[in-house]
Amino acid sequence: MSQLLFVGSFSANIDLSKALTTGFSKTEPSISATHGCGISIFAIDEDTGRLRSVSKIKCAPGCRAHHPAAPASSDPADPAPEPATPAIPKAISDSSDSCKPFSFSSKAIDEFIFEPGSPTTPKATQVVAGPNPSFLALHPSGTVIYSTNEVLEYDGRDAGAVSSFRLLPTGNLALINRVSSAGKIPCHVDVSPSGMFLAVANYSEGNFAVYSLGFDGSIADPPLAVIQHGPEGCGVDKLRQSIAHAHQCRFDPAGSGALYVPDLGLDKVMCYLVNEETGEVKATGELVCPPGSGPRHLEFHPTRKLVYIMCELDFSIVTAKVLEDGTLERIGLVKVLPEELEMVDGWMGSTVKVSPDGRFLYGGMRGPDRICICEIAEGDGTLSLVGHQKCGSMPRDFNLSPSGRILTVGSQVGNFIEVFKRDAETGLLSSSQKVLCGTPVCFKFGPAPRGFQHDMPEA
């Protein structure tokens, strides 16, 4: 079955040091001339490791930097591409508005859809993508995609938003609905395996919300539950851990109803159980991570009851066993910073993925700008560091294709996607293509819709 790659792109390159210090203040962030402002969809050829732009939706009116992805050199020896200033369609250049990534009104706005085979000719339509459409999630049906709108205000309320879109046979997206995320700066979203529930983590609020989903994929409002962490953090890192920071929500893919929420501010992964009949959320336990480590994202082993937790603040990855009651027990830890490097303030771990065969783990490292590669032990599932693959600057997110043959990683600062081929025996990566894409911050693979046709370029 053909695969599509969905990419969420921030509306702005935020001054990270200022944002982290203030917890994302309402001061207008600096906006890069090449920010991405939307959700991009690519067709992928896993045999060649090639991507081709299918469509893209824009986040806000008057955004002058919106541009389609364009194919770049497939030669790994070529330098990273410097995105050119895109041509501004008349409908955009006529607008006097600007993209304001930390506030949002729900009024319909002009959005530009890039039709297959014509990536430079936009077509206007009345659909709202919203500002800062960052992290994405796919419904189990494969026909609905969800996006956080990572903002402080939505429709005059002190909260961000979460949006649902229908995936059309053309590869375009149509808005279903958008609701408040019940907290500021929603940074992650996930859908339960049953397709009945959606969970959103709100970073600046230190909480998460669980919603019921309709048969059409719409998000029911108000949420079934809003769970507050903290509010005080553990305080080990006075800058980053003064308050709670829920950073991810992950449902157990096995369908047990377990829900896990890493909290960077608490140095804990909080464990919950969601009742499939009522949607009631019950706390079941917590996994304590090393002081000052800042757990950010976790990933499940595909065949074993294990999870791996990337800690943002110290480049450690925790291995934990999933117990019968759904709680977690730590069984291992590995530091993945290269021996030749010393830790620098502002360097941050990002995310973690496990290969479909369960043999290798990959972790994102912002600052050193590398993907660490670890081998997973056959016995207890703990990790040993194999090596590192250099990549573009600020790899906030990456993902493996369903076959595990391809890894795509985004350079949030460099404004491009790099496609790597993966050696299944060694776990090592080799670059095959670089594709222009403004501020890519999330990658999700999903099946192409029925009736979808899109010619791939020759290798």
Side-chain angles (χ1 to χ4, degrees), residues 12 44 46 50 100 115 148 166 213 305 403 412-413 418 421 446:
I44 182 167
E46 292 196 75
R50 301 287 293 181
K100 298 184 182 298
E115 297 293 349
T148 59
R166 171 78 51 191
L213 296 178
K305 291 190 173 183
S403 70
Q412 182 180 346
V413 174
E418 190 163 9
K421 292 184 177 180

Side-chain angles (χ1 to χ4, degrees), residues 375-397:
E375 187 171 10
I376 299 174
E378 292 184 6
D380 59 6
T382 54
L383 304 175
S384 58
L385 184 63
V386 172
H388 298 84
Q389 173 64 53
K390 291 185 178 181
C391 60
S393 56
M394 200 61 66
R396 190 169 190 259
D397 195 42

